[in-house]
Amino acid sequence: MDWELQRRVALIDDAIWEAGPKAVAEEIERIRARYDVEVALLNLAAEKDAVLQTRLGIGGNNPPEAIDEASVIEHHITLIWPGWTT
């Protein structure tokens, strides 16, 4: 078990300990569920930060040059499909 999780279990209120094993087991399960969510959230935040730092990849803030759309429009494009006649 993780040290932080053990610490939280050790800090369970005395009234719960005195209520018996079933009450203690329910409290430990509640603590474990909450702890698992907190750990998952921290991991998600770390992954998000890693993705944001590397999201630009190659080129970064230096994107490729713009395409001159006029030169693309000037060229005639022919598509050929089997069985198609003009």
Side-chain angles (χ1 to χ4, degrees):
M1 238 176 23
D2 184 89
W3 283 107
E4 176 59 21
L5 186 56
Q6 289 184 29
R7 185 186 74 77
R8 292 179 186 191
V9 168
L11 293 175
I12 291 175
D13 191 60
D14 287 340
I16 295 173
W17 287 109
E18 293 168 3
K22 184 177 179 185
V24 173
E26 289 173 357
E27 183 66 12
I28 290 173
E29 188 56 38
R30 187 189 68 75
I31 290 170
R32 182 185 298 269
R34 182 181 176 111
Y35 181 75
D36 289 345
V37 169
E38 290 174 4
V39 169
L41 183 60
L42 289 173
N43 290 339
L44 184 62
E47 288 174 17
K48 181 190 92 172
D49 290 342
V51 167
L52 289 177
Q53 289 175 1
T54 60
R55 75 175 179 82
L56 297 175
I58 297 173
N61 273 340
N62 198 8
E65 297 176 8
I67 298 174
D68 180 19
E69 291 182 25
S71 66
V72 173
I73 294 172
E74 291 174 4
H75 297 288
H76 180 72
I77 299 173
T78 303
L79 297 176
I80 302 174
W81 291 306
W84 180 264
T85 58
T86 55

